[in-house]
């Protein structure tokens, strides 16, 4: 589609099936767009600044924190096997001495989480609790822990990867629900001091990527410009991904699959060279690892497009600061300095999103918004605080798809280009 046609645009179909006229505000915003060459020039400056940054990434060891904290690292199979063998020997010695056995499990409760402003991420304090076999309250979890350790040991010995679902189905009667085996798997990872990827247990494929990226997946060359509108599934075991190449100027992180497909079908990455990635909602470990790797190796800025509601911001915060559930691995899973591009509460009036496309926030939504305002990582960002306060005050939310009221391609033809042109992000 030519730039002239993009500027002229069309409105989406009305309820009667006929094409309605775009609102005057939508027309006005479309006219504010500069040429693609001018917009690209500002994007190139942003990309160049990101690549030229030489600031050292701080780690926990660089800080003198009052609380001891626990972090895990990638470890090879032989090292993890040795740790499991040591745990088994310790249990055997304890049983032979007549003391029974227990596991010292790091506490992953909310009270044991710590937000570190210097790192801009959540970490786990180094506090453990005994999971004893000879105690009625912990015997089942101790049994599950021993079972998971034996299964992981078998997987590593065979040098294969299995999914969390595979792990669950090896002993359904013991685990009862996959959430139980999943939680203990995280406990085992934290206890052994290794990432979950090091255990060779992965989640099923969820995230997808499309755009100006080439990489090798277990030796196969993948060109993400030739993956259609569905994109390339992000491999669940990221350790087999290598040799990332790209001429992109930025990474566009998208919350929803619907917005991802719209941008992929419109070939937005050709008009504005970028890599588009989504986890289709709540981010999975593989997508978070893949995003961190792209930013680190390609040194590209990351812009985020999420719904204008508390849950969209929660999803964005997981990418940036980590989740409390996996705070022990936040150094590997978090991508700092992601720019919140939209959809922001202030955009609803700025772009005059129709009232019928705005949704009233429920009491639960309002509570979630107020809870976010109490989070330390939100308090340190004045722009986030203002947007969240506006959301809670107006009690209005909107999905990315609300922009389709101005035309199905308004997102890719007007909203995103104008946002980038104005460098309107937080």
């Amino acid at each position: 589609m030519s730039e002239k046609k993009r500027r002229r645009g069309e409105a989406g179909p009305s309820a009667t099936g006929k094409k309605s006229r775009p609102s005057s505000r939508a027309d006005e915003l479309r006219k504010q767009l500069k040429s693609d060459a001018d917009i690209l020039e500002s994007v190139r400056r942003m990309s160049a600044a990101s690549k030229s940054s030489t600031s050292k990434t701080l780690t926990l060891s660089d800080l003198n924190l009052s609380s001891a904290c626990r972090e895990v690292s990638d470890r090879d199979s032989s090292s993890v096997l040795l740790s499991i063998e040591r745990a088994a020997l310790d249990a055997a010695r304890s049983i032979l001495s007549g003391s029974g056995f227990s596991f010292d499990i790091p506490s992953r409760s909310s009270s044991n989480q710590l937000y570190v402003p210097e790192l801009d991420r959540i970490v786990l304090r180094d506090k453990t609790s005994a999971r004893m076999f000879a105690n009625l309250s912990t015997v089942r979890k101790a049994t599950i822990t021993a079972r998971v350790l034996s299964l992981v040991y078998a997987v590593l010995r065979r040098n294969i990867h299995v999914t969390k679902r595979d792990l669950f189905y090896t002993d359904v009667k013991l685990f009862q629900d996959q959430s139980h085996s999943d939680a203990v798997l995280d406990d085992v990872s934290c206890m052994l001091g290794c990432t979950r990827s090091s255990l060779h247990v992965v989640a099923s494929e969820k995230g997808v990527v499309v755009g100006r990226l080439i990489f090798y997946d277990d030796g196969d060359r993948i060109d993400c410009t030739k993956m259609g509108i569905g994109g390339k599934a992000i491999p669940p075991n990221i350790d087999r991904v290598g040799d990332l190449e790209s001429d992109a100027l930025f990474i566009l992180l998208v919350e929803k699959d619907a917005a991802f497909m719209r941008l992929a079908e419109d070939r937005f990455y050709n008009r504005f060279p970028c890599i588009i990635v989504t986890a289709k909602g709540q981010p999975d470990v593989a997508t978070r690892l893949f995003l961190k790797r792209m930013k680190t190796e390609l040194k590209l800025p990351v812009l985020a497009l999420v719904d204008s509601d508390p849950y969209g911001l929660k999803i964005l915060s997981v990418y940036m600061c980590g989740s409390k559930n996996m705070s022990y691995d936040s150094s590997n899973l978090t991508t700092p300095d992601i720019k919140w591009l939209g959809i922001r509460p202030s955009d609803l009036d700025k772009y005059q999103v129709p009232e019928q496309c705005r949704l009233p926030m429920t009491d639960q939504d309002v509570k979630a918004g107020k809870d976010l305002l109490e989070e330390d990582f939100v308090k340190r960002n004045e722009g986030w605080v203002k947007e969240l306060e506006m959301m809670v005050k107006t009690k209005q939310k909107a999905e990315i798809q609300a922009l389709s009221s101005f035309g199905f391609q308004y997102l890719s033809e007007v909203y995103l280009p104008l946002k980038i042109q104005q460098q309107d992000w937080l």
Side-chain angles (χ1 to χ4, degrees):
M1 184 183 291
S2 69
E3 187 173 326
K4 184 176 180 181
K5 287 183 179 179
R6 278 197 297 267
R7 287 173 175 275
R8 185 165 62 244
E10 290 181 340
S14 67
T16 60
K18 297 179 181 180
K19 289 183 178 178
S20 58
R21 284 178 61 95
S23 71
S24 58
R25 179 58 175 165
D27 282 337
E28 180 186 330
L29 291 171
R30 190 184 294 271
K31 290 174 183 176
Q32 289 180 18
L33 279 174
K34 297 180 180 178
S35 68
D36 284 1
D38 288 338
I39 299 174
L40 280 170
E41 186 55 39
S42 65
V43 175
R44 287 191 181 94
R45 287 195 295 270
M46 173 183 68
S47 181
S50 181
K51 290 186 177 182
S52 63
S53 176
T54 57
S55 58
K56 180 181 179 292
T57 302
L58 287 175
T59 64
L60 268 179
S61 58
D62 296 322
L63 306 174
N64 187 24
L65 299 178
S66 57
S67 302
C69 296
R70 176 185 290 262
E71 279 195 323
V72 301
S73 59
D74 280 316
R75 294 171 58 188
D76 58 54
S77 297
S78 60
S79 173
V80 179
L81 284 168
L82 185 59
S83 293
I84 296 175
E85 289 167 359
R86 284 174 179 163
L89 284 172
D90 288 343
R93 290 192 190 99
S94 182
I95 292 169
L96 291 172
S97 69
S99 304
F101 80 91
S102 68
F103 298 106
D104 286 331
I105 304 295
S107 170
R108 296 189 292 114
S109 64
S110 296
S111 60
N112 204 37
Q113 315 284 337
L114 176 68
Y115 173 74
V116 182
E118 295 89 345
L119 303 177
D120 194 21
R121 57 183 172 86
I122 301 168
V123 299
L124 186 68
R125 289 189 178 95
D126 193 8
K127 177 184 175 184
T128 61
S129 60
R131 186 170 291 174
M132 295 179 285
F133 185 77
N135 186 303
L136 284 176
S137 64
T138 56
V139 60
R140 185 169 173 274
K141 269 203 167 183
T143 305
I144 293 175
T145 304
R147 181 66 171 138
V148 169
L149 279 168
S150 68
L151 290 169
V152 168
Y153 188 82
V155 167
L156 292 172
R157 285 288 300 272
R158 288 174 174 79
N159 194 29
I160 58 174
H161 289 78
V162 299
T163 66
K164 293 192 295 181
R165 194 68 174 167
D166 289 329
L167 198 76
F168 167 67
Y169 271 106
T170 60
D171 206 331
V172 176
K173 286 188 177 180
L174 173 63
F175 298 142
Q176 295 182 4
D177 189 276
Q178 188 180 331
S179 63
H180 298 165
S181 57
D182 286 355
V184 170
L185 184 66
D186 283 328
D187 290 338
V188 165
S189 174
C190 195
M191 181 181 75
L192 297 176
C194 65
T195 62
R196 205 169 72 188
S197 302
S198 300
L199 302 179
H200 285 203
V201 182
V202 299
S204 299
E205 292 179 344
K206 184 186 178 191
V208 287
V209 60
V210 75
R212 309 288 273 265
L213 176 69
I214 294 172
F215 65 91
Y216 285 81
D217 181 359
D218 205 20
D220 297 326
R221 186 177 186 271
I222 308 296
D223 185 345
C224 293
T225 62
K226 300 176 180 178
M227 292 293 135
I229 65 172
K232 169 71 175 77
I234 295 172
N237 42 328
I238 298 298
D239 54 343
R240 75 185 191 190
V241 172
D243 300 326
L244 275 65
E245 305 171 18
S246 178
D247 64 349
L249 298 176
F250 62 96
I251 298 167
L252 183 59
L253 176 63
V254 182
E255 177 189 349
K256 296 283 191 65
D257 189 33
F260 176 91
M261 291 178 65
R262 173 77 275 133
L263 295 169
E265 186 176 37
D266 290 348
R267 299 295 192 269
F268 182 79
Y269 52 82
N270 285 335
R271 183 181 174 193
F272 299 103
C274 65
I275 303 166
I276 308 172
V277 62
T278 183
K280 303 177 184 178
Q282 191 65 32
D284 58 312
V285 169
T287 304
R288 291 163 67 187
L289 284 170
F290 194 71
L291 179 66
K292 171 71 175 284
R293 188 160 176 184
M294 285 194 296
K295 180 171 174 61
T296 302
E297 295 188 15
L298 302 176
K299 299 186 184 305
L300 295 175
V302 182
L303 306 178
L305 180 68
V306 299
D307 286 342
S308 178
D309 62 29
Y311 307 104
L313 267 186
K314 278 189 175 182
I315 285 172
L316 178 53
S317 72
V318 169
Y319 281 111
M320 293 177 65
C321 309
S323 64
K324 292 183 177 180
N325 188 48
M326 295 193 72
S327 57
Y328 64 89
D329 195 15
S330 63
S331 61
N332 298 300
L333 294 174
T334 54
T335 303
D337 197 30
I338 297 177
K339 308 297 185 185
W340 182 17
L341 192 64
I343 304 289
R344 301 206 302 271
S346 58
D347 288 342
L348 302 188
D349 286 340
K350 178 180 177 180
Y351 289 83
Q352 293 187 0
V353 173
E355 286 295 327
Q356 67 267 26
C357 298
R358 307 183 191 193
L359 301 171
M361 291 174 67
T362 64
D363 291 342
Q364 187 175 353
D365 293 334
V366 174
K367 182 182 182 302
K370 289 179 178 178
D371 288 345
L372 270 175
L373 282 167
E374 296 302 315
E375 294 286 355
D376 291 332
F377 63 84
V378 172
K379 289 179 181 178
R380 73 191 301 262
N381 191 319
E382 187 179 343
W384 279 47
V385 171
K386 287 181 178 178
E387 293 288 348
L388 264 171
E389 286 177 342
M390 179 184 298
M391 184 190 299
V392 170
K393 182 179 179 181
T394 61
K395 294 185 178 181
Q396 288 186 327
K397 61 182 180 179
E399 297 185 5
I400 300 169
Q401 283 67 44
L403 296 172
S404 297
S405 60
F406 302 120
F408 293 126
Q409 293 177 296
Y410 190 81
L411 173 68
S412 58
E413 293 183 0
V414 180
Y415 180 79
L416 287 177
L418 191 58
K419 279 276 186 175
I420 294 169
Q421 172 183 306
Q422 297 174 344
Q423 298 190 10
D424 183 15
W425 52 69
L426 296 176

